[in-house]
């Protein structure tokens, strides 16, 4: 009889999961006996890096990625980016080793106690199979659940001695899990949109996940609707140079009301509209504004404070709205005011992003984790092509650098640009080693302001003028890059910045630019 390992490898091959991201320990090694030549193992030097790379790879391919971690210690290291994958709605099948079944009653060294509970609540489903022969079925179910909307990570704990046990025949099944929109509800939504005098769309990451970029453009143009980006959206869902683009909603109750106050109808697509970062008071939407929400996440629909919700695939729902008849004649909303062009006399994050926008190819992919520069990025680094922007939906740090590596593996023909804060970079700096080993074409752009600027900005909201322990002027990112096998260049003025960016963007391997900003 074939072994559990042989059956599982065949299943993974059938599911297209031939790239495995991991950092194995002793309890995982039997999985890799006679490792097949058509599989690829991508090593991360820390488990959070492993999760980040897998997240980027899964988003780039559109298929789940498989992750291999080490019992409790490895899963613990990975939890921060597992939380991010859950918020990103990224499909992952996370496996972790467990000690041999025969010694589990004695709490052996490096075992996982209550293994299936540890990654909760940030996995959709978790399991430790009752028998070795159940491992392939557990992984098949984990894959099916991960790929069912809303996408997300799942978890399987596998005892070390299961892999060499004789297995039983296993046939995978096809599961079609897309959620079609309710046509009666869609007809009501279309009628309300058609009657509106000043409609607006609010687009979230689900628009990009569902491949609805073109449909959103068509709907906005049909109804001359202003298009806003949902607060903290982790993907780009509308071209930011389009005449109907209105800007980015702020993650605060009063701010969202103020930004949408002129619209009598708001259609939120693919993500939460009322996402808050600070405490607020008063209404969640202006009086007289009708709100509808469409997205694949039933949890978002449940906690939304306002609006009629339709849980469905966004692209399918938009197709019905586009078929709903002609739109009334409306005057286009006033175009968004553009920020002033900067002359480079000050080396700010805004200027660095302005030059990056000018020098990069429009179809290059931005993977961003620079929280204090998010506002300047909105102003000076517009995203104009679909599937070219990815960031962290959870607000946690340590995702962007390794996610850029995973994205480069998924899309080897594209230039990947990781826009990172210096503080954010240090959460997963080991990801540079994976980039060097793999030779991926990633330009790591580190905005070096020598401190946790996001904390300083946020601290001022609480009246804190001084924060302890948040300064780190000693960090040398070119030296860190060199230590991991990557060439880096530092730029502290406009002239050296252009030279460094041009060099990095033209490279066919990994490079790093340390942009020293005021």
């Amino acid at each position: 009889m074939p072994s559990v390992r042989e059956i599982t490898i065949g299943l993974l091959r059938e599911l297209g999961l031939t790239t495995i991201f991991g950092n194995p320990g002793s309890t995982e090694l039997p999985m890799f006996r006679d490792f097949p030549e058509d599989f690829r193992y991508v090593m991360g030097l820390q488990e959070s890096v492993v999760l980040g790379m897998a997240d980027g790879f899964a988003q780039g391919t559109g298929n789940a990625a498989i992750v291999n971690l080490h019992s409790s210690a490895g899963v613990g290291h990975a939890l921060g980016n597992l939380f991010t994958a859950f918020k990103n709605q990224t499909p992952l099948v996370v496996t972790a080793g467990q000690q041999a079944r025969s010694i589990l009653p004695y709490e052996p060294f490096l075992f996982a106690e209550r293994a299936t509970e540890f990654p909760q609540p940030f996995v959709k489903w978790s399991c430790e199979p009752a028998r070795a022969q159940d491992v392939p079925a557990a992984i098949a179910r984990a894959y099916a659940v991960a790929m069912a909307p809303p996408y997300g990570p799942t978890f399987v704990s596998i005892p070390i001695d299961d892999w060499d046990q004789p297995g039983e025949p296993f046939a995978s099944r096809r599961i079609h899990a897309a959620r079609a929109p309710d046509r009666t509800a869609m007809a009501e939504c279309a009628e309300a949109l058609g009657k509106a005098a000043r409609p607006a769309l609010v687009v979230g990451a689900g628009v990009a996940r569902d491949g609805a970029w073109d449909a959103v453009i068509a709907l906005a143009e049909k109804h001359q609707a202003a298009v806003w980006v949902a607060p903290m959206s982790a993907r780009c869902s509308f071209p930011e140079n389009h005449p109907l683009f209105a800007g980015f909603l702020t993650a605060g109750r009063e701010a969202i009301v103020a930004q949408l106050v002129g619209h009598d109808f708001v259609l939120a697509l693919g993500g939460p509209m009322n996402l808050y970062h600070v405490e607020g008071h008063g209404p969640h939407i202006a009086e007289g504004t009708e709100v509808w929400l469409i997205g694949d996440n039933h949890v978002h629909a449940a906690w939304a404070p306002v609006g009629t919700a339709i849980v469905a695939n966004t692209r399918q729902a938009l197709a019905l709205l586009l078929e709903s008849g002609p739109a009334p004649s409306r005057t286009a909303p006033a175009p968004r005011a553009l920020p002033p062009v900067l002359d480079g006399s000050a080396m700010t994050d805004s200027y660095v992003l302005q030059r990056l926008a000018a020098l990069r190819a429009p179809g290059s992919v931005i993977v961003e984790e620079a929280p204090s520069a998010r506002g300047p990025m909105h102003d000076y680094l517009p995203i104009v092509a679909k599937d070219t922007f990815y960031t962290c939906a959870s607000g946690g740090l340590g995702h962007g650098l390794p996610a850029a590596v995973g994205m480069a593996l998924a899309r080897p023909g594209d230039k990947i640009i990781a826009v990172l804060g210096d503080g954010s970079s240090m959460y997963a700096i080991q990801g540079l080693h994976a980039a060097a080993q793999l030779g991926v074409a990633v330009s790591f752009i580190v905005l070096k302001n020598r401190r946790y600027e996001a904390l300083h900005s946020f601290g001022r909201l609480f009246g804190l003028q001084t924060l302890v322990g948040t300064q780190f002027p000693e960090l040398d990112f070119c030296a860190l890059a060199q230590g991991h096998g990557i060439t880096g260049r530092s730029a502290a003025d406009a002239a050296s910045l252009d030279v460094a960016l041009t060099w990095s963007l033209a490279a066919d391997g990994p490079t790093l630019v340390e942009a020293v900003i005021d």
Side-chain angles (χ1 to χ4, degrees):
M1 295 179 65
S3 67
V4 167
R5 177 181 52 258
E6 292 168 332
I7 296 169
T8 301
I9 289 294
L11 171 65
L12 295 179
R13 185 180 288 116
E14 184 179 344
L15 297 175
L17 306 181
T18 57
T19 297
I20 301 176
F21 296 86
N23 185 312
S26 56
T27 53
E28 292 72 49
L29 290 180
M31 178 183 180
F32 305 107
R33 193 190 313 278
D34 301 323
F35 196 63
E37 292 185 359
D38 60 322
F39 276 57
R40 172 173 58 180
Y41 193 89
V42 179
M43 169 72 80
L45 295 185
Q46 210 265 6
E47 287 85 354
S48 67
V49 172
V50 170
L51 251 292
M53 289 193 296
D55 188 324
F57 185 78
Q59 291 196 65
T61 61
N63 191 24
I66 187 162
V67 179
N68 177 242
L69 302 177
H70 180 40
S71 62
S72 287
V75 175
H77 287 159
L79 281 180
N81 273 337
L82 185 64
F83 168 56
T84 291
F86 182 76
K87 288 296 186 180
N88 284 353
Q89 293 185 210
T90 302
L92 298 177
V93 177
V94 181
T95 65
Q98 173 64 293
Q99 271 290 6
R101 293 177 185 269
S102 64
I103 58 174
L104 285 179
Y106 311 112
E107 297 201 7
F109 188 64
L110 289 176
F111 93 118
E113 184 173 359
R114 294 189 289 180
T116 60
E117 298 176 33
F118 193 24
Q120 296 180 25
F122 305 125
V123 292
K124 295 177 65 180
W125 180 74
S126 61
C127 172
E128 187 172 275
R131 306 178 304 153
Q133 290 73 23
D134 297 330
V135 169
I139 291 177
R141 179 174 174 181
Y143 176 81
V145 174
M147 291 295 292
Y151 298 156
T154 55
F155 178 80
V156 182
S157 171
I158 306 171
I160 186 174
D161 50 341
D162 282 5
W163 295 109
D164 291 317
Q165 296 297 312
E168 299 172 350
F170 180 80
S172 64
R173 300 160 48 235
R174 297 178 63 189
I175 299 175
H176 300 280
R179 189 190 296 267
D182 180 273
R183 287 183 171 267
T184 301
M186 290 304 307
E188 294 177 17
C189 180
E191 182 180 5
L193 173 58
K195 291 179 178 179
R198 297 175 305 280
L201 309 181
V202 176
V203 293
V207 169
R209 283 193 301 270
D210 289 344
W213 170 279
D214 294 328
V216 167
I217 295 173
L219 187 70
E221 292 176 349
K222 175 180 177 178
H223 287 275
Q224 290 298 295
V227 180
W228 296 84
V229 174
M232 305 295 186
S233 179
R235 299 281 296 272
C236 181
S237 301
F238 191 80
E240 295 168 15
N241 60 350
H242 193 283
L244 292 172
F245 180 63
F248 303 84
L249 294 184
T250 302
R253 181 188 280 192
E254 295 90 344
I256 291 173
V257 172
Q259 288 174 289
L260 297 178
V261 70
H263 303 291
D264 58 345
F265 178 92
V266 174
L267 175 60
L269 298 164
M273 181 182 81
N274 294 90
L275 183 64
Y276 305 140
H277 191 199
V278 294
E279 184 181 15
H281 304 279
H284 297 279
I285 199 72
E287 185 178 355
T289 301
E290 183 175 359
V291 176
W292 285 72
L293 309 105
I294 301 174
D296 67 358
N297 195 322
H298 58 282
V299 176
H300 294 168
W303 65 249
V306 292
T308 300
I310 301 173
V311 180
N313 177 279
T314 307
R315 180 169 48 83
Q316 295 180 18
L318 286 170
L320 295 178
L321 289 178
L322 287 168
E323 295 170 358
S324 63
S329 177
R330 297 188 182 98
T331 302
R336 177 184 182 227
L338 297 178
V341 176
L342 305 175
D343 61 9
S345 57
M347 187 71 167
T348 62
D349 49 5
S350 295
Y351 181 73
V352 173
L353 296 170
Q354 177 183 282
R355 294 309 299 151
L356 178 60
L359 294 171
R360 79 179 182 105
S364 54
V365 180
I366 302 292
V367 180
E368 178 265 335
E369 190 179 293
S372 64
R374 180 68 63 85
M377 185 191 69
H378 289 164
D379 291 336
Y380 289 99
L381 183 57
I383 308 300
V384 299
K386 64 181 177 182
D387 298 327
T388 58
F389 176 76
Y390 300 82
T391 191
C392 164
S394 71
L397 299 180
H399 169 264
L401 193 156
V405 178
M407 185 65 65
L409 288 174
R411 298 169 61 169
D414 294 327
K415 183 66 174 182
I416 311 300
I417 305 169
V419 178
L420 308 167
D422 47 4
S424 299
S425 301
M426 293 306 299
Y427 277 73
I429 199 68
Q430 304 96 320
L432 294 178
H433 179 262
Q437 279 208 325
L438 297 164
V440 289
V442 180
S443 292
F444 298 98
I445 313 299
V446 179
L447 303 175
K448 182 178 176 179
N449 54 27
R450 311 173 190 87
R451 64 181 189 175
Y452 277 128
E453 180 58 35
L455 286 180
H456 283 259
S457 299
F458 209 78
R460 287 191 283 271
L461 294 176
F462 299 105
L464 302 175
Q465 300 305 314
T466 303
L467 294 180
V468 298
T470 58
Q471 308 278 349
F472 34 83
E474 305 85 1
L475 289 175
D476 184 335
F477 286 92
C478 292
L480 287 166
Q482 183 178 5
H484 287 87
I486 292 177
T487 303
R489 293 188 182 183
S490 187
D493 55 43
S496 61
L497 176 66
D498 271 17
V499 171
L501 288 177
T502 300
W503 159 77
S504 178
L505 295 173
D508 57 5
T511 56
L512 183 143
V513 174
E514 177 190 75
V516 184
I517 61 177
D518 298 335

